[in-house]
Structures are given as structure tokens and as C-alpha cells.
Amino acid sequence: MGYTLNLSDISLMDYQGLLRQQNLLPGRRMLLEELDARFAAFADLGLTTVAQLKASLATPQKMASLVQKTGIPEEYLVILRRELGSLTQKPVSLVEFRDCDPSRIDSLAAIGIRTSQALWECGSDASAELFALCDLVRINGVGAAAARAFYEAGYVSVGAVAEANAADMLARVNAVNTEKGYYKARLGRKDMQFCIDYAKLLEKYS
């Protein structure tokens, strides 16, 4: 198991389902237009994984070829390439985690462990809380603040999020954030469902 998703293992069908659940930014909501037909066109070309789709959009020449073969508008493919580029979560600096023991973070930095990925790849830590936060930020869109809210709401791992119910999770996380004010964003049920679905992908494909 790795820290991030292995794009070579994720099927286009699974990614298509993830897109349906994602609360896309306004500029990217066009990705839902004719979603089934467009992903069927990718499949007709023999593209079966996210890595293959990403590679087919890697250069202007490849994108132009895909436009010609599928009839899918270039604007759509440009937005899709951007969305694919954000699929893999970047590591979080350990100093960003609030309410963690600074001396522990300093001692980890002294031995070269400064990010969530570096600590997670060690496999364990004396601070179960810090390790749990490093696990939670593997979920796309979950930063240090949201990870803290998830943790205090009782979702202490990617596995726990994968098994959650979106409505229950939203209520519990919102209750924590209302009390503690960890982040300003207004999250909805769809945001929780995306986190759940992404966590399932991590369980399956990382």
C-alpha cells in the first residue's frame, strides 16, 4: 500500500463514479456534461485506466488527436486534464497540524521526517494522533484543519472514512468545527460523500 493513489490501477469506471460524487468547482462542473457518453468514447479507444487517460492528454498533440478521434470538445479535455492533475494529494507539512506536540514534530524533523507522507511511510509513530492525521490528509481535498475536525469527530483513519455514512459524518464533523472553528469552508453532504468515495479508492488502489 502506498501513500497516494496508483493511477495505473484506477479504472475509468471508478473514476467516473468519483466525478459524479465530487462537489466540483464552478469552472469544472462541465465535466459532468455527457459524462457517460464521453467516458464510453474513451473506452472505445482502449483507454481503461486513469493513468492511460492522463497520458492521452499530456501534450497538445495528443489532446488534438483525442479531439479528432472522439469528437469531444477541446475545452472539456483541458478541464479534465486539470482535474486529473489534482487527483493525487500532496503531502502536508507536519508543522501545519494544530494542537500536536511541537517537541515531537521537532524531534521528527531532526531525523528528516517533516511531512505527512514521510511519517505515514514509516508505518507507525509514538503519537497515534499525529499518525492518524497523516493518514487522513491522504484524502483528496482534506488538509490539516479538516483532518483535525475528522479526527475529533471520530474518523481516525482512511478506513474509518471509507466506512462512514455521509449524513452522519457531516453532522459530526460540522459539530466539531462549529465548536472549534478549524476551517471556514461550508461543507455539505456531497463533500462528505466525495471524501468517503475517495477513501474507498485509497483502500482499493493505494
Side-chain angles (χ1 to χ4, degrees), residues 124-189:
S124 63
D125 181 65
S127 169
E129 176 185 276
L130 184 56
F131 184 82
L133 294 173
C134 289
D135 191 39
L136 289 167
V137 295
R138 296 168 62 214
I139 300 172
N140 193 308
V142 175
R148 169 60 68 182
F150 284 17
Y151 180 84
E152 293 190 12
Y155 302 97
V156 299
S157 67
V158 165
V161 173
E163 295 176 0
N165 171 274
D168 291 343
M169 186 174 177
L170 178 63
R172 290 165 62 178
V173 171
N174 277 350
V176 169
N177 194 54
T178 297
E179 179 183 355
K180 302 291 185 65
Y182 286 129
Y183 53 83
K184 295 181 180 180
R186 295 177 61 86
L187 301 181
R189 182 170 178 171

Side-chain angles (χ1 to χ4, degrees), residues 55-67 74 77-78 81:
S56 74
L57 298 169
T59 67
Q61 294 78 13
K62 289 183 177 180
M63 185 177 293
S65 176
L66 200 59
V67 170
E74 182 178 358
L77 296 179
V78 168
R81 181 174 63 185

Side-chain angles (χ1 to χ4, degrees), residues 19 24 28-33 35 76 79-80 83:
L19 276 177
L24 294 166
R28 297 189 183 184
R29 289 175 187 162
M30 69 175 299
L31 293 178
L32 300 178
E33 297 173 5
L35 185 64
Y76 182 93
I79 299 299
L80 179 58
E83 188 62 28

Side-chain angles (χ1 to χ4, degrees), residues 31-91:
L31 293 178
L32 300 178
E33 297 173 5
E34 300 182 41
L35 185 64
D36 292 340
R38 287 170 175 171
F39 271 69
F42 297 145
D44 288 343
L45 292 178
L47 302 176
T48 60
T49 71
V50 170
Q52 290 172 343
L53 178 58
K54 188 175 181 180
S56 74
L57 298 169
T59 67
Q61 294 78 13
K62 289 183 177 180
M63 185 177 293
S65 176
L66 200 59
V67 170
Q68 183 177 21
K69 291 175 181 177
T70 63
I72 297 173
E74 182 178 358
E75 180 185 9
Y76 182 93
L77 296 179
V78 168
I79 299 299
L80 179 58
R81 181 174 63 185
R82 290 174 186 165
E83 188 62 28
L84 288 170
S86 67
L87 189 58
T88 303
Q89 184 79 328
K90 295 180 180 179

